Amino acid sequence: MLRESYPYFLANIPLSPNQDLPVHDKYSGEVATRVSLADSKAIDQAITAAAAASGPMRKLPAHKRQTILYHCVRRFEERFEELAEALCIEAGKPIRDARGEVTRLIDTFRIAGEEAVRIGGEVIPMDISPRAEGYTGMWKRVPIGPCSFISPFNFPLNLAAHKIAPALAAGCPFILKPASLTPVGALIIGEVLAETELPQGAFSILPCRRDGADLFTTDERLKLLSFTGSPEVGWELKSRAGKKPVVLELGGNAACIVDEGSDIDDAVSRIVFGAYYQSGQSCISVQRIMVHETHYAEVREKLTTAVNELTHGDPKDENTFIGPMISEKEAIRLHDWIIEAEEAGAILLAGGKRNGAMLRATLLENVPSNSNVNCQEAFGPVAILSSFSDFNAALDEVNNSDFGLQTGIFTRDIHKIQKAWDELEVGGVVIGDVPSWRVDHMPYGGVKDSGLGREGVRYAIEDMTELRLLAVRDPN
């Protein structure tokens, strides 16, 4: 059970000026807890504190940053079931998936602890021409300064961790706005951070209304904005961010190709996971499934059967695979898209029914290319099936999208693997698995409307640091 209420964290300190943000159990719809809500004055105070903490954070030795991150690892392990239960309740995530996310939270902080003592530099040969003889050059990375983070509802723990942990490793103070629908996990992270010897003002975690969070984007004291969420919001924030660099992890409508000669049972098993894991509410959820014509009938039959057999229901039940979507509003939106596709000629192979925020796992075929469920991000338990005869044409179809996050390809042909890696307009190509696969140390991010920059601890640290050159002349 969640506690009756949770404070926010302002300059490392828990404060409860109100309990104005109700957090609902996404399955029952009942209020599960209440959270303190920050106003613009509190956000301004947090930014002031973060700016003041820049010097102490920059001077914090690497081994101390590592110790702080490893403390978090230990405490997350000790509070494992509490974190999983909170995630299950506030996000409606099936409990087995919630435990998986807690495991990834721990991984992300552990990786950051390792990277905290690896932030190095390089010596540069300067004598590339006669005029530069007698000069020595080198560079190092220095923290960029106070960072602004905005995290989403679908991975409330691990996607917050992908901002917090690299910032701590790099020596950057930060302010974080967690999603209003799922703030509890981030606040528990705040409780653990408050146990450490971080300098005063090193972190603030402030749930707030979207219309009150303008300072997260516009304040010039903040030196980086990292946002994960919808493309519409992300690009709008970038337009208002001013001089600061912006990292955007946005949406997708990820494709998965099943080529001739693939292990069909393996591919179907992984596609079911990739398309319907946590009710498809992942930006790399399998949305478009393209199957070589020689295997299409078999995949169609096996996939339809597997989708129809998925267990829907209470996310607290250990056997549940499909829980509720984040809200009834989102379930209605996606259900309307399904109906729209059917009216345009699509065939419903599985699912298609809705009850409140619960949407049955849905599989469609013959979906018109201009249907929302094909060309937009579904962000729910819906996938569409189509066939192809030419691999190159399938690659073209993958690229025929406003998005470009990750693609999964089941093939055993090394030449096709190389061609896909060369030609697909995506941030990552996954061979022998679904695009939904991610390990938390790898570079992760997209192109086109899927965003800017890369996460994954080492790569986030690059964004949170700047290069500083030293050139030395020997006058002798």
Side-chain angles (χ1 to χ4, degrees), residues 255-271 286 288-296 298-300 303 385-391 394 398 407-412 416 432-435:
C256 190
I257 295 173
V258 181
D259 194 25
E260 56 184 332
S262 299
D263 181 333
I264 298 306
D265 288 336
D266 176 63
V268 167
S269 173
R270 294 303 297 160
I271 289 169
V286 175
R288 298 179 291 155
I289 307 164
M290 305 172 189
V291 182
H292 193 273
E293 60 185 6
T294 58
H295 299 303
Y296 185 79
E298 181 182 4
V299 170
R300 181 182 187 272
L303 197 55
L385 189 62
S386 62
S387 66
F388 70 90
S389 58
D390 179 76
F391 186 79
V398 173
T407 299
I409 302 177
F410 291 87
T411 185
R412 295 171 176 171
K416 290 179 178 178
D433 210 339
V434 288

Side-chain angles (χ1 to χ4, degrees), residues 139-155:
W139 60 261
K140 66 178 180 179
R141 288 193 172 275
V142 297
I144 197 170
C147 296
S148 173
F149 301 146
I150 302 175
S151 59
F153 71 80
N154 59 326
F155 287 89

Side-chain angles (χ1 to χ4, degrees), residues 211 240 296 418:
D211 57 4
R240 298 193 294 109
Y296 185 79
Q418 184 68 53

Side-chain angles (χ1 to χ4, degrees), residues 124-130 132-135:
I124 308 172
M126 288 293 199
D127 53 353
I128 62 169
S129 69
E133 289 183 20
Y135 286 82

Side-chain angles (χ1 to χ4, degrees), residues 13 19 33 61 94 121 152 185 199 218 270 274 301 331 359 406 421-422 445:
I13 304 300
Q19 296 181 6
T33 187
T218 60
R270 294 303 297 160
E301 178 184 357
L359 180 64
Q406 291 197 155
W421 194 26
D422 288 342

Side-chain angles (χ1 to χ4, degrees), residues 11 26 79 182 215 224 237 242 290 302 316 318 365 378 395 400 402 415 423 439 461:
K26 298 305 184 292
R79 300 179 70 172
T182 56
L215 290 175
L224 174 80
L237 293 180
M290 305 172 189
K302 290 183 175 180
K316 303 175 191 68
E318 295 280 351
E365 69 174 350
L395 297 183
N400 184 25
D402 292 334
H415 302 293
E423 296 192 6
V439 179
I461 288 172

